[in-house]
Amino acid sequence: MYTNGKGGGIGRVGYVYDVRMKHHFDLDVPLSAEDQHPEDPRRIYWIYEILERSGLLSQMHRVPVSPITDTQILRTHHREHLSFLKSTELMEVTELIKMQEDLDSVYICAMSLYCARLSAGGLLALCREVASENGVVDSGLAIIRPPGHHACQNKTMGFCLLNNIAIAIRDLQTTSSVQRVAVVDWDVHHGNGIQELFYSDNSVLYISLHRHDGAIFPFSSAAESSRIGRSRGKGYNINIPWLSDGVGDGDYLYAFREIVLPIIKEFAPDMIIVACGFDAAACDPIGLCNVTPECYAAMTAMLKNVCPKIVLSLEGGYNLEAIANSALACAKALAGVRWKAGLVPRAATVREYTTLPESETRGSFSSERHTYSAEWQTSPKKGSLSWWWDPADEVPLCFAAEPSELGKQVVDRVFDDVERYWQTL
């Protein structure tokens, strides 16, 4: 039985998962093929499987999933966008394959809209449960696909059909007491869709940490640090654009300490939603960065310390081992599992989209249990961190990672761009 070291349990953590989301797939690639599209239907299964094998899943609360309605979609997307997606449900396979040639990095099959409704509906249901004063959970993990943070009001792009997080936020603001939401997007790609939808809105704080070096989707100037919002939303859109690949734990934790955590604390959100892509993870074949599962867990724990109502919503991540290990680490952080209470999953070691066929995954996860040195009892190197890291807790080794010089330059530039809008800076 896992416990969190402070007398609590894991049952207050929720999750959503629905195997039917796997029915969204690329018609150009047979499901039996070894090399799948990067947005592989097995992504959600690998996360579910490792949580089950860890023993964690049985102690978490499963929130039922149902597809969202047209009304819920239309709070975020144009009617023309929904009409286009509905039209794909009646197309022949040859027509769908031809049509997707004109789309921006998106594949669609006849089941895609239904899967997108389930994906957004799962996140929405979990957020409602976390928001409820009488709910059984106060944080959660949405194991969903297709992803959503690139989807714009009237456009599919970047593997995304509906903007899951935007739909959930508008639902919360309409149906619950949650009005102020902070979105932390640590997917390696800029969440241009979320930015577009809330760019003039001061009820939503959007902070994105992403690569922006001319070599990674969506290749847009909208990802620059100078894009800080407009009108009432000025200062509420914060881009932290890494200028190269190879970014690692030290860079992310430096950005969290200098910008992310202080601003979120001042914003005082009713809920945090993480656009939880794992494509900055070590060995991801697209992100080409080096964030470890331990760092993802540490970032999750720090955000939860600032706002206990937090939901992680799966976005990208294309190495199956990396996303499974990273998601397990984050789930343990949500549950408050002390670092020494169980393994911290290892980083992936092979840079590829897929590893073993799904039928063989039962034996593919490491059950190795790590031991921890006395270094975990030392304090983080820099600054007074007591307000966002409990000094009674063991300190993760990732805190010893130094930021790169280029990473520090990026964070310092962002600081200069937004400091006038936040007293804490």
Side-chain angles (χ1 to χ4, degrees):
M1 176 72 175
Y2 285 108
T3 60
N4 68 4
K6 297 179 183 179
I10 290 172
R12 297 291 299 176
V13 181
Y15 75 96
V16 291
Y17 172 81
D18 193 309
V19 70
R20 291 175 294 175
M21 295 180 204
K22 291 169 58 181
H23 294 305
H24 167 64
F25 63 92
D26 187 356
L27 293 168
D28 269 340
V29 182
L31 287 175
S32 59
E34 183 175 346
D35 294 323
Q36 291 290 318
H37 186 282
E39 210 288 277
D40 187 330
R42 293 174 293 181
R43 295 168 64 243
I44 56 172
Y45 175 80
W46 274 63
I47 293 173
Y48 179 86
E49 171 79 353
I50 199 171
L51 289 172
E52 184 178 53
R53 287 175 57 82
S54 74
L56 196 63
L57 200 66
S58 63
Q59 299 176 58
M60 296 166 65
H61 179 83
R62 186 165 188 167
V63 175
V65 176
S66 58
I68 55 169
T69 65
D70 288 1
T71 298
Q72 291 164 328
I73 293 173
L74 292 173
R75 292 189 186 122
T76 297
H77 293 284
H78 289 167
R79 188 170 297 277
E80 294 78 9
H81 182 69
L82 179 56
S83 296
F84 161 69
L85 291 175
K86 283 184 174 182
S87 73
T88 65
E89 295 179 302
L90 303 175
M91 290 182 183
E92 298 291 338
V93 170
T94 54
E95 188 179 3
L96 286 165
I97 292 174
K98 181 173 177 54
M99 178 204 64
Q100 70 186 32
E101 293 175 359
D102 298 324
L103 300 179
D104 189 357
S105 302
V106 171
Y107 63 77
I108 295 181
C109 68
M111 289 293 292
S112 292
L113 175 57
Y114 183 69
C115 294
R117 288 183 187 270
L118 286 173
S119 183
L123 175 60
L124 184 152
L126 182 58
C127 287
R128 281 189 177 186
E129 192 66 37
V130 170
S132 172
E133 294 182 3
N134 300 316
V136 297
V137 300
D138 50 27
S139 65
L141 174 64
I143 311 168
I144 58 175
R145 65 175 294 274
H149 74 149
H150 294 306
C152 301
Q153 274 192 317
N154 200 26
K155 184 178 181 182
T156 62
M157 62 185 297
F159 310 161
C160 302
L161 306 181
L162 297 175
N163 199 304
N164 303 323
I165 287 176
I167 289 169
I169 290 172
R170 289 307 186 209
D171 179 81
L172 288 170
Q173 293 176 329
T174 303
T175 65
S176 78
S177 62
V178 171
Q179 298 299 306
R180 295 169 63 80
V181 179
V183 178
V184 177
D185 189 340
W186 64 45
D187 188 288
V188 81
H189 303 88
H190 178 237
N192 57 295
I194 299 176
Q195 174 170 300
E196 174 196 280
L197 289 159
F198 298 110
Y199 203 60
S200 301
D201 190 337
N202 63 0
S203 71
V204 177
L205 170 66
Y206 179 63
I207 304 178
S208 177
L209 304 95
H210 53 268
R211 275 184 59 190
H212 180 57
D213 52 14
I216 196 162
F217 189 89
F219 312 107
S220 169
S221 61
E224 295 173 357
S225 63
S226 59
R227 300 301 181 95
I228 58 172
R230 72 164 68 92
S231 186
R232 290 184 307 165
K234 206 163 190 178
Y236 291 83
N237 192 89
I238 299 170
N239 288 325
I240 303 174
W242 308 123
L243 299 179
S244 70
D245 58 14
V247 181
D249 293 0
D251 300 296
Y252 277 77
L253 293 173
Y254 182 74
F256 260 59
R257 187 178 75 242
E258 297 297 316
I259 295 176
V260 178
L261 296 168
I263 289 178
I264 292 177
K265 186 181 182 186
E266 182 176 336
F267 179 68
D270 300 315
M271 184 183 292
I272 295 174
I273 302 178
V274 178
C276 185
F278 293 123
D279 40 9
C283 284
D284 187 274
I286 292 180
L288 302 178
C289 292
N290 294 307
V291 179
T292 65
E294 184 180 278
C295 183
Y296 282 121
M299 292 190 293
T300 300
M302 290 186 285
L303 290 173
K304 194 172 190 296
N305 283 343
V306 176
C307 178
K309 289 188 178 296
I310 178 172
V311 173
L312 275 56
S313 179
L314 182 65
E315 290 286 348
Y318 309 105
N319 178 304
L320 297 180
E321 181 185 9
I323 65 172
N325 288 349
S326 298
L328 175 58
C330 289
K332 287 189 172 187
L334 290 178
V337 174
R338 293 288 293 271
W339 296 96
K340 286 186 177 179
L343 66 88
V344 174
R346 59 184 173 83
T349 55
V350 179
R351 192 182 300 280
E352 57 184 11
Y353 294 122
T354 62
T355 53
L356 297 176
E358 184 172 299
S359 61
E360 300 180 29
T361 58
R362 285 277 166 188
S364 64
F365 297 117
S366 169
S367 60
E368 174 187 2
R369 290 194 170 271
H370 293 233
T371 56
Y372 305 103
S373 70
E375 293 178 87
W376 283 59
Q377 301 294 341
T378 63
S379 297
K381 282 189 173 183
K382 296 183 177 180
S384 174
L385 308 179
S386 60
W387 65 270
W388 54 268
W389 191 268
D390 186 339
D393 284 343
E394 305 97 323
V395 178
L397 291 174
C398 59
F399 279 143
E402 295 284 350
S404 65
E405 287 303 315
L406 186 57
K408 288 178 65 176
Q409 291 173 22
V410 168
V411 172
D412 293 347
R413 182 186 308 157
V414 174
F415 189 99
D416 292 340
D417 286 336
V418 301
E419 64 175 326
R420 70 179 73 97
Y421 301 101
W422 299 97
Q423 293 183 1
T424 188
L425 301 184

